[in-house]
């Protein structure tokens, strides 16, 4: 069965001497892995379309539930080559890709995430020095997939207030956190920045002028949260595999 869609190359893995396994975030199929035959043998347009971050129209052949359908066509829509050619630009783009791979299940179609990644990569290409873009992507992606920590109340007792702590992936009030040494205090200013990034569109992002300390605080909170969720998911997956 031949299927067509649009996709962004998230990563490639060499297979054998000349083949590649190409992972895409697609418009209609979510994250998929495809098998590309011999793209490393010659410097062809097909091979260049498989570079990381490239946005292409693709076609792949295989049964609907095939684990590794064969990639038969890849026509570049936009290469995003400037993001690959500059370390300053590539690092934030790579962080977005890693986050997407960690929080999106294979074959779980989500057009909202696809549009978010495309638009954020375009904005990054226009200004890869925009400090809020990676943070914006992180907040929006976690919100879409249901892993964004809520900062408007205690996750244990439901109490509202202005003083909260992040502990073991949950936002807690002072009483519930016990002011544990491992807890990360959340300031009111950071809560406002978090809400603004959720409410404002990407086109208005340049109007937000937060203090550097608040950006660093929110970045640290989300990084700690992502680390906790990722490790917890990995442990659960290892336990499930062991039980099998």
């Amino acid at each position: 069965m031949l299927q067509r869609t649009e996709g962004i190359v998230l990563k490639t893995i060499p297979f054998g001497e000349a083949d590649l396994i190409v992972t895409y975030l697609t418009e209609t199929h979510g994250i998929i892995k495809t098998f590309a035959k011999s793209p490393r043998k010659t410097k062809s347009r097909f091979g260049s379309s498989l570079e990381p971050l490239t946005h292409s129209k693709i076609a792949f052949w295989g049964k609907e539930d095939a684990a590794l359908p064969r990639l038969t066509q890849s026509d570049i829509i936009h290469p995003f080559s400037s993001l690959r050619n500059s370390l300053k630009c590539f690092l934030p783009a790579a962080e977005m890709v890693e986050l997407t791979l960690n929080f999106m299940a294979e074959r779980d179609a989500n057009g909202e995430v696809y549009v978010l990644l495309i638009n954020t990569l375009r904005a990054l290409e226009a200004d890869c020095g925009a400090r809020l873009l990676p943070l914006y992507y992180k907040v929006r992606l976690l919100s879409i997939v249901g892993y964004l920590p809520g900062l408007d109340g205690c996750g244990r007792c439901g109490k509202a207030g202005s003083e909260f702590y992040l502990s073991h992936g949950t936002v807690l009030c002072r009483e519930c956190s016990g002011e544990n040494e491992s807890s990360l205090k959340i300031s009111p200013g950071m809560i406002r920045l978090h809400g603004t990034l959720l409410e404002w569109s990407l086109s208005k992002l340049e109007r937000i002028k937060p203090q550097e300390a608040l950006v660093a605080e929110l970045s640290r909170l989300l990084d700690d949260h992502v680390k906790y969720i990722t490790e917890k998911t990995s442990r659960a997956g290892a336990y499930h595999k062991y039980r099998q």
Side-chain angles (χ1 to χ4, degrees):
M1 179 180 179
L2 184 66
Q3 300 183 72
R4 301 180 187 275
T5 187
E6 289 186 10
I8 308 160
V9 178
L10 299 182
K11 68 175 182 178
T12 60
I13 300 175
F15 187 84
E17 294 184 359
D19 306 328
L20 284 175
I21 295 175
V22 188
T23 302
Y24 286 95
L25 175 65
T26 67
E27 184 178 26
T28 55
H29 297 78
I31 290 179
I32 61 169
K33 292 179 180 177
T34 63
F35 175 75
K37 183 69 175 175
S38 304
R40 295 189 289 151
K41 277 187 176 180
T42 58
K43 291 186 178 180
S44 63
R45 185 168 177 80
F46 178 67
S48 64
S49 73
L50 306 182
E51 292 286 340
L53 305 179
T54 304
H55 178 207
S56 302
K57 289 183 178 179
I58 64 172
F60 53 94
W61 179 269
K63 294 181 179 179
E64 191 169 344
D65 58 348
L68 201 64
R70 179 166 177 172
L71 186 69
T72 59
Q73 184 179 350
S74 179
D75 297 323
I76 297 174
I77 298 173
H78 190 78
F80 287 113
S81 54
S82 64
L83 297 182
R84 293 192 300 273
N85 295 337
S86 164
L87 183 62
K88 178 184 176 182
C89 297
F90 183 73
L91 288 178
E95 184 181 12
M96 295 176 197
V97 166
E98 182 179 6
L99 196 69
T100 305
L101 288 167
N102 283 338
F103 284 90
M104 286 285 291
E106 286 190 35
R107 302 289 180 134
D108 184 12
N110 192 315
E112 197 173 354
V113 172
Y114 177 79
V115 171
L116 174 66
L117 183 57
I118 283 284
N119 289 341
T120 310
L121 289 176
R122 287 172 180 161
L124 191 64
E125 189 175 48
D127 181 9
C128 63
R131 58 180 182 152
L132 286 180
L133 278 174
L135 194 56
Y136 175 87
Y137 185 81
K138 197 172 296 184
V139 167
R140 289 301 184 101
L141 176 66
L142 292 176
S143 176
I144 292 169
V145 300
Y147 281 104
L148 185 69
L151 303 184
D152 54 353
C154 178
R156 185 170 297 168
C157 70
K159 178 183 176 181
S162 59
E163 188 170 347
F164 294 105
Y165 298 79
L166 182 70
S167 179
H168 302 296
T170 304
V171 173
L172 303 173
C173 65
R174 176 186 286 192
E175 289 76 11
C176 291
S177 73
E179 296 186 72
N180 190 298
E181 289 183 3
S182 64
S183 299
L184 179 65
K185 188 174 180 180
I186 301 170
S187 71
M190 192 269 280
I191 293 175
R192 288 193 294 271
L193 175 58
H194 174 271
T196 300
L197 292 175
L198 272 176
E199 293 172 6
W200 287 36
S201 65
L202 187 59
S203 62
K204 297 179 181 179
L205 200 61
E206 62 183 19
R207 301 182 192 177
I208 306 173
K209 307 293 183 182
Q211 296 176 356
E212 194 64 46
L214 293 179
V215 175
E217 185 183 349
L218 182 54
S219 296
R220 182 187 169 194
L221 179 140
L222 291 176
D223 287 346
D224 284 0
H225 182 67
V226 165
K227 181 181 178 181
Y228 174 80
I229 296 298
T230 303
E231 290 178 351
K232 185 178 180 181
T233 303
S234 297
R235 288 196 299 268
Y239 175 76
H240 178 70
K241 185 176 181 181
Y242 170 77
R243 294 284 292 177
Q244 288 181 323

